[in-house]
Structure formats: structure tokens, C-alpha cells
Amino acid sequence: MRELILPQLAPREPTVSVVTYVRNACGTISKALESIVNQDYPYLQLIVVDGASTDGTQDIIARYADRIAVFVSEPDSGPLEAATKGLALVTGDIVLFVMADDWLVEGAIRRLADEFTRQPTCGIISFGARIEAQGEAGRRIVLERYGCENRLDLRNLLGIPLTAARAWRRELMDLIGGLDPHYPAAHDREWFMRAWIAGVSTTEINDILYIYTQHAGSTTLGGDPRRIIAYLEEHVGLAGMWLRYVSGAEAAMVRDWRRLQLKEGLLIALRLKRIGLIGRWLVLVLARDPAAAGDALKYCLRRLFRMVA
């Protein structure tokens, strides 16, 4: 695989652009913004893209007006459009997302800026993250921790990609392009895989700098089967594209991952008991993984028999 070398950063402290996009997150947006504006780093561009919130989110954002470089509030079609708007407004040397229900730990941006300065041709820095949920009596429950194992490699990109726990050089978007509008659910995974395929130079910070929050309304961690099945269908398409760029053991990993996405999609379709959706996923299995089609068909027939019995 070839290596993509970026030009060196200018010999000064880099400007960091943080993009936060939000719609109706009045319960979490304040903590997210506080974690950004209270960072001990002076060269910070905060961009907030609001999808015309109606629950008081805009009033909360207004409290931080003097710390927000760019604020946009207008209807959008979802996370892909909002993220694309935000990235188009970026002027900093380094870019990262902070989601409206997540937050940065103290000193995170200083750590990132210093690491990019130490490695001036590095394109992407991955960092540790923690996934938490709200427990009883307001207690936070830690569900998962990721440290230096959160590197930008094929195994992680096919697993839990933790795309918000990565920062990148702005020039990288000029070299490999922006978010792909064909993947409204999996656009972030696709973009980082594109960077990996291009051979961008990467490194890791082992410490936890980012906190994810799992809750029912979360786009990626909420567990809504309809959202999950949208991700899975896009993943099946992505796998077919990625197989053009990998070979050997890496190609086997992608094929195994695609088979898992097909299996999970079919299981969700069966749980939802939607005949049309089940048929759609059977066709996908037949088209993308014919070797598994026989077993999938037998499994579906058994499940369908139980549904009508």
C-alpha cells in the first residue's frame, strides 16, 4: 500500500477547528460546548451547525455566542448534510468532531496540537475514548474503554471505528475528498477507510481524550434497529468497494466483515417481521455472498414458519 505524505505543518502553534452538529439536544449540548470552550488552547475555531432545533437547544447555544466562531441554524436532512456544512466552514490546520451528546476531556486539544506539532507530516491522530451511559440516580456507567488499540487500521475500521476519537489535518480533505453523499449513515467510516487506503501517515495518543454517551436517541449507539439496518446495508456496499483495494489476508477480513453485516441485516429484518425487508436482504445475500445464501434461506424459512405458526 502506498504512503500519502502531507506537507509539514507551519512552525507555529496550529489552529484547531472543532465541528459540532446538533438537532434537539437540549439535555446534552451544554456539556459538549463547555468541554470545548474550556479547553486550555487559544487557537480554536468552534463551528456549530444546528438543524433548526425546536426544543430550546438554540437558546443554550446562544449562551456561548462569544466563543463560537461560526453558527448555522437551518433545516437539514441529517448528520451527513450537517457534517458537510460544518467541514466546509473549517479554516484550522487540524479538524475534529465533537458530537452534541459527547465531550472532550480537559486538555485534549492541547495534547492534539502538541502531537501534530511534534509530527508535522502526520495526517491523522487517533486517541483513547470511553463509552458511558447514564445509570440510576444520575450515575455514569463506563461501558467500554479504548486506548492505544484505537489505531487507524483495517481491523478497527471494520469493528468499532470510533470516528469522533480521531483528528486530522485539513489538507487531507483536499487530497482525498470530503464526505461521500452516497453514505448518509456510514459516511465517517467510509472517509477514514479512504484515508487508510490512501496510505495517510497516522499515530496514536494512548490517553482517553473523548467521552461518548450511549442513550436511546444516539444516532450510532442508540440501538434503533431501523438505524442499524441502514448502516448495515451501506456497509455491504462499502465492502464491495474496499475489496478492489485490498488482497490476501486483508481481503479475507473484508469478506468476513461483509458476511457478518449480511447476517446481522437479515436477523434484524426477521425481528422486524417485514416480509419486503426480509426479501430485500435475501437478495443482498444472494448477490454479495452466494456461498452463504443456502444457509441463509433455510434459516429464514425456519424463522418465517415460526412467525406464522
Side-chain angles (χ1 to χ4, degrees), residues 14-19 33 35-47 67-69 92 94 96 104 109:
T15 301
V16 179
S17 294
V18 179
V19 177
L33 295 178
S35 79
I36 301 166
V37 302
N38 289 332
Q39 293 287 316
D40 59 342
Y41 192 75
Y43 308 107
L44 177 64
Q45 180 198 30
L46 173 55
I47 298 166
R67 305 296 300 276
I68 296 173
I94 300 162
L96 69 153
L104 293 172
I109 291 181

Side-chain angles (χ1 to χ4, degrees), residues 19-22 47-51 74 76-89 97 179:
V19 177
T20 296
Y21 52 89
V22 57
I47 298 166
V48 179
V49 179
D50 172 67
E74 59 190 18
D76 58 50
S77 57
L80 171 59
E81 183 180 351
T84 301
K85 284 180 187 177
L87 292 177
L89 298 167
F97 287 118
L179 301 176

